[in-house]
Amino acid sequence: MRIALDKITPLIDKNDFNDLESVLMTIQSTCGDTEFTQRLRILRALIEKKTTGDLIADYFSKKYVEVLIMRWDYSIEEEYKSIYQDNKSYFNYVPLRHPVDSLIKLKANALLYSTSYNLTEQEQEIILLFSDQIEEFQQTYTPSQENSQSQNNEKNNQFYKDKYGLQIYAGVEYPLTGTNPVFKTSPTFGVTFASKLSSDLLYEIGAKVRINNNAKTFDYQLYDDIETINSSASYSFGGNIGYKLLDNDTFILSPKIGLYWESTSTGLSEIIEDYYDDYGNSVPNIRFNNVNTMRTSIALSLMRYLMKKQYIGIELAYHFVPYNWEKNLITSIQPHYSSAQLFYRF
């Protein structure tokens, strides 16, 4: 493919099309019909003032419009090299920001403003697309119902779903049991690293925090003393595993199970020993005496597609948090909670 691209660039630069078709046929024999070869055939026909109607109609019918728009979009990304390396086949094995792309844009732009060409409305549309004038193209282009449906499906195609993501959570957690619970309705926040959406099996790894708003005090035994504690926050570290029950390219529904190590702050700490750094300085080793336990969750997540990698969603969950596993905790703290959280995936 590289050899073919090296041959094409000078041919397009000089408008020397005698050998172009043979090079395109070589590419086609290896890669099949592609947006790239069809774009060059249309450009050649335009420059040579030949009939383009069938070529352009074929280009539209094969849904190459969305393919090229996506190519232009990803060409301006800072990580364009890695994006291409991970998706070579999608980009027809033509690297993003290749000189031939710039040359086609230049030629198309010259055709658009040349007084030597009497372009049809359809030809003007395709030239706007080839020259990367996407806003102007979309103002004139009216896709058929089939192509319009393709545009909607394209948003959620394998290209976008085959990416990892980050998810930011915000919501509330509230107790399900206890007439006067220690931890009342409290705001929660979190961030997780999320797996690809192209797989039916989903997973997340990250951290969450619950702000213990208006929490009651509880008793904690530290050696021979009983301390009365008012906790400010609970911190959780762990992950979820889920399974896609529904994926219709607009909504994704998945149940999840999660396991997190949780630590509820007490404000109690102690220096248990000193150690020495490389320079002989004494460094205190501090131990925090928190309420530590494991949090188990069962959740149902619904997310809605926005654009590219972006989704917005809601997650409803039940949590079992056996705080009294902590041997130093004296006060009984309710273990059953529920939460509702909004999240944004990008």
Side-chain angles (χ1 to χ4, degrees), residues 146-215:
E146 180 182 359
N147 282 337
S148 180
Q149 182 64 40
S150 171
Q151 285 183 313
N152 291 332
N153 292 338
E154 190 71 29
K155 295 176 182 178
N156 295 284
N157 67 9
Q158 187 73 16
F159 183 86
Y160 292 123
K161 289 183 178 178
D162 201 30
K163 304 292 178 184
Y164 295 98
L166 287 176
Q167 295 182 170
I168 298 176
Y169 288 83
V172 292
E173 182 174 294
Y174 43 91
L176 294 176
T177 57
T179 57
N180 191 15
V182 172
F183 298 127
K184 304 179 185 298
T185 300
S186 305
T188 62
F189 306 93
V191 58
T192 61
F193 171 80
S195 64
K196 302 176 182 180
L197 294 174
S198 55
S199 172
D200 287 338
L201 188 65
L202 309 176
Y203 64 84
E204 304 169 41
I205 300 173
K208 296 187 178 184
V209 58
R210 183 186 68 201
I211 307 301
N212 293 324
N213 189 37
N214 298 320

Side-chain angles (χ1 to χ4, degrees), residues 98-117:
H98 192 277
V100 73
D101 278 337
S102 300
L103 196 53
I104 292 173
K105 287 183 184 181
L106 184 64
K107 295 285 184 179
N109 198 61
L111 283 170
L112 188 62
Y113 297 105
S114 174
T115 57
S116 301
Y117 291 85

Side-chain angles (χ1 to χ4, degrees), residues 50-261:
K50 293 182 179 179
T51 302
T52 60
D54 290 342
L55 287 171
I56 295 175
D58 186 55
Y59 188 94
F60 287 156
S61 69
K62 289 179 178 175
K63 306 171 181 63
Y64 287 153
V65 170
E66 294 85 1
V67 175
L68 184 56
I69 289 176
M70 192 176 298
R71 181 178 185 83
W72 295 152
D73 285 345
Y74 278 98
S75 293
I76 63 176
E77 296 285 346
E78 291 184 3
E79 303 84 6
Y80 73 95
K81 290 183 179 179
S82 61
I83 292 173
Y84 169 73
Q85 289 296 326
D86 293 339
N87 304 276
K88 288 183 179 181
S89 61
Y90 186 83
F91 295 115
N92 307 146
Y93 299 97
V94 180
L96 294 173
R97 297 193 190 180
H98 192 277
V100 73
D101 278 337
S102 300
L103 196 53
I104 292 173
K105 287 183 184 181
L106 184 64
K107 295 285 184 179
N109 198 61
L111 283 170
L112 188 62
Y113 297 105
S114 174
T115 57
S116 301
Y117 291 85
N118 185 19
L119 302 175
T120 67
E121 182 177 338
Q122 189 182 47
E123 289 172 340
Q124 289 177 349
E125 286 179 353
I126 203 74
I127 289 175
L128 287 170
L129 176 65
F130 288 180
S131 60
D132 196 12
Q133 300 183 55
I134 303 304
E135 291 186 6
E136 293 83 352
F137 167 75
Q138 291 176 335
Q139 290 173 3
T140 61
Y141 176 58
T142 305
S144 65
Q145 184 176 0
E146 180 182 359
N147 282 337
S148 180
Q149 182 64 40
S150 171
Q151 285 183 313
N152 291 332
N153 292 338
E154 190 71 29
K155 295 176 182 178
N156 295 284
N157 67 9
Q158 187 73 16
F159 183 86
Y160 292 123
K161 289 183 178 178
D162 201 30
K163 304 292 178 184
Y164 295 98
L166 287 176
Q167 295 182 170
I168 298 176
Y169 288 83
V172 292
E173 182 174 294
Y174 43 91
L176 294 176
T177 57
T179 57
N180 191 15
V182 172
F183 298 127
K184 304 179 185 298
T185 300
S186 305
T188 62
F189 306 93
V191 58
T192 61
F193 171 80
S195 64
K196 302 176 182 180
L197 294 174
S198 55
S199 172
D200 287 338
L201 188 65
L202 309 176
Y203 64 84
E204 304 169 41
I205 300 173
K208 296 187 178 184
V209 58
R210 183 186 68 201
I211 307 301
N212 293 324
N213 189 37
N214 298 320
K216 288 178 56 182
T217 59
F218 59 85
D219 293 332
Y220 183 94
Q221 184 170 351
L222 183 61
Y223 300 110
D224 295 330
D225 297 326
I226 296 178
E227 305 285 348
T228 299
I229 305 299
N230 189 284
S231 176
S232 60
S234 297
Y235 305 93
S236 301
F237 305 90
N240 303 316
I241 296 178
Y243 184 81
K244 285 196 299 186
L245 287 181
L246 169 71
D247 184 354
N248 64 4
D249 289 338
T250 300
F251 292 98
I252 295 178
L253 179 68
S254 61
K256 303 177 182 178
I257 58 173
L259 186 64
Y260 287 78
W261 176 81

